[in-house]
Amino acid sequence: MNSRPRRNRASSTIRRMVSETQVRPEDLIFPLFLIDGKGLEVPIASMPGIARYSEDLILKRIEACVNLGVNSFVIFPAVEDSLKDKEATYAMRSDNFYLRTIRSIKQHFPDVCLMSDVAMDPYSSDGHDGYVENGKIINDRTLPILGRMAVHQAEAGIDIVGPSDMMDGRVGYIRKALDDAGFTETAIMSYTAKYASAYYGPFRDALDSAPKFGDKKTYQMDPANKREALREARLDESEGADYLMVKPALCYLDVIHVLRESSHLPIAAYNVSGEYAMLKAAGEKGWINYDRAMPEMLLSIKRAGADVILTYFAEEFAQRFREGSIY
Ligand code: PBG
């Protein structure tokens, strides 16, 4: 034999030398759940190790992460039912706890990168991402709400707004709204290919944001479709997106791959709540070697072509990266 691939696997030094893909804490965005109040840390049953925090404790969490080299966060608000309505008006109150906390994080940690969620569902009494009329999601009635929401977030100091609602034309609408308000430097990470997935379940528990009727299939994508992701990507790029995201990550590695091949923008992937829950649960039961499976999962998302990964594993990964126990 003149070719023996095993020679390049002979020792850990050689394996590391020829390793094609690395995950670093800098590649990760850590999603954090925010609630109103003080001194609150409310665990999420379906996401062991993840909690909803009030402003004071989210600052502590961020400090711990920054010390580990995780400097990017996406913040999701869990809003009380009594504050929800059809038009998501609470999102536009500049004194609301979400915008207040964004300002406070930026004051304490000016160098962190903060990403927002631009969608109606955390604030909507219908639990949908768009404006609802007669049981239908009205696309063009939703756009101005998203535009206003994004401008409020930019005003509070958000670096990257993240439209996650899958309405048509939202990236262009939000870009124009931001520019008109003077926020030309606020970036847009579009949830370009967001699938109508069963893997969002634990997230909806965390925010109590499940739809009050029906499902999200008239706006989120059909898991069967890949060409359609390219169509969405082309639109988002032409409307001014700065990043394209695929969500969920694991069942959609092929979609991450085609977007990476067909665009020059950074590609992000959202390793969603259900993917986190699945691995945690199997690990707790002793059915899988969690310590090895977790970095393998992140590596596979990177290898598929993601430059950036939004993941609930971020802090834990960075901790183990620091200890040198990942690779
Ligand atoms: C909604 C939104 C969802 C997630 C992020 N933004 C859920 C949904 O579309 O119902 C899911 C994230 C996760 O599951 O980790 N705007």
Side-chain angles (χ1 to χ4, degrees):
M1 275 185 270
N2 65 5
S3 196
R4 288 181 182 269
R6 287 187 55 199
R7 282 196 285 260
N8 292 358
R9 300 175 203 139
S11 71
S12 101
T13 301
I14 291 173
R15 287 192 295 273
R16 293 204 55 177
M17 187 165 67
V18 300
S19 147
E20 299 172 32
T21 312
Q22 287 84 32
V23 178
R24 310 162 305 156
E26 296 92 307
D27 305 323
L28 309 178
I29 299 180
F30 192 25
L32 292 170
F33 298 113
L34 175 71
I35 42 176
D36 202 5
K38 228 183 151 200
L40 298 176
E41 170 174 353
V42 186
I44 299 157
S46 48
M47 302 179 74
I50 301 294
R52 309 174 190 110
Y53 298 104
S54 54
E55 177 182 334
D56 51 339
L57 296 187
I58 222 168
L59 288 169
K60 291 232 159 68
R61 189 82 276 122
I62 288 179
E63 184 175 18
C65 289
V66 165
N67 289 331
L68 291 169
V70 174
N71 294 303
S72 301
F73 305 89
V74 52
I75 317 282
F76 294 99
V79 178
E80 252 180 67
D81 269 345
S82 63
L83 296 169
K84 299 182 184 180
D85 60 20
K86 285 196 78 63
E87 310 227 9
T89 47
Y90 186 66
M92 266 62 83
R93 287 212 345 225
S94 36
D95 63 339
N96 76 35
F97 72 95
Y98 185 68
L99 299 171
R100 189 188 69 218
T101 302
I102 301 295
R103 280 186 221 107
S104 153
I105 297 171
K106 274 291 178 178
Q107 229 162 44
H108 287 84
F109 306 100
D111 295 331
V112 303
C113 168
L114 282 192
M115 177 173 159
S116 68
D117 189 47
V118 183
M120 290 179 65
D121 59 326
Y123 310 95
S124 152
S125 44
D126 294 305
H128 274 285
D129 293 25
Y131 183 80
V132 176
E133 210 171 67
N134 302 326
K136 283 196 154 174
I137 316 299
I138 313 294
N139 195 91
D140 296 9
R141 184 83 167 71
T142 304
L143 298 179
I145 299 175
L146 300 175
R148 279 205 298 279
M149 197 183 287
V151 168
H152 273 87
Q153 294 171 348
E155 237 158 33
I158 284 289
D159 300 281
I160 305 176
V161 297
S164 67
D165 55 286
M166 292 302 280
M167 294 301 123
D168 293 334
R170 82 243 199 252
V171 171
Y173 196 97
I174 290 170
R175 183 69 271 157
K176 182 163 185 329
L178 288 171
D179 288 354
D180 287 350
F183 296 108
T184 53
E185 310 214 323
T186 307
I188 300 178
M189 182 184 289
S190 176
Y191 287 62
T192 295
K194 177 172 180 178
Y195 288 88
S197 170
Y199 290 90
Y200 308 146
F203 176 97
R204 293 180 189 171
D205 295 344
L207 295 194
D208 189 23
S209 65
K212 298 286 188 289
F213 68 88
D215 52 40
K216 298 193 174 186
K217 291 181 183 169
T218 67
Y219 44 109
Q220 298 181 348
M221 282 176 53
D222 180 346
N225 294 357
K226 180 155 77 173
R227 289 193 302 268
E228 194 182 349
L230 288 168
R231 184 179 183 206
E232 288 283 3
R234 224 159 274 150
L235 284 168
D236 285 355
E237 249 190 81
S238 70
E239 290 175 32
D242 300 285
Y243 306 76
L244 305 179
M245 189 207 292
V246 175
K247 175 182 177 185
L250 273 194
C251 293
Y252 301 88
L253 295 176
D254 56 332
V255 180
I256 297 172
H257 180 74
V258 289
L259 288 205
R260 173 64 296 155
E261 301 280 290
S262 67
S263 172
H264 294 154
L265 292 179
I267 303 297
Y270 200 141
N271 182 208
V272 298
S273 57
E275 299 169 347
Y276 177 87
M278 217 162 49
L279 204 54
K280 281 280 177 189
E284 277 176 11
K285 278 188 168 279
W287 289 352
I288 200 167
N289 181 334
Y290 172 84
D291 287 344
R292 291 186 51 211
M294 185 268 272
E296 182 176 333
M297 186 185 274
L298 296 180
L299 196 64
S300 74
I301 298 169
K302 196 90 199 280
R303 193 191 62 239
D307 305 288
V308 178
I309 307 172
L310 293 87
T311 179
Y312 303 97
F313 295 117
E315 185 178 6
E316 210 185 322
F317 178 90
Q319 178 75 47
R320 290 193 29 215
F321 189 85
R322 165 86 33 111
E323 291 162 1
S325 65
I326 291 278
Y327 301 115

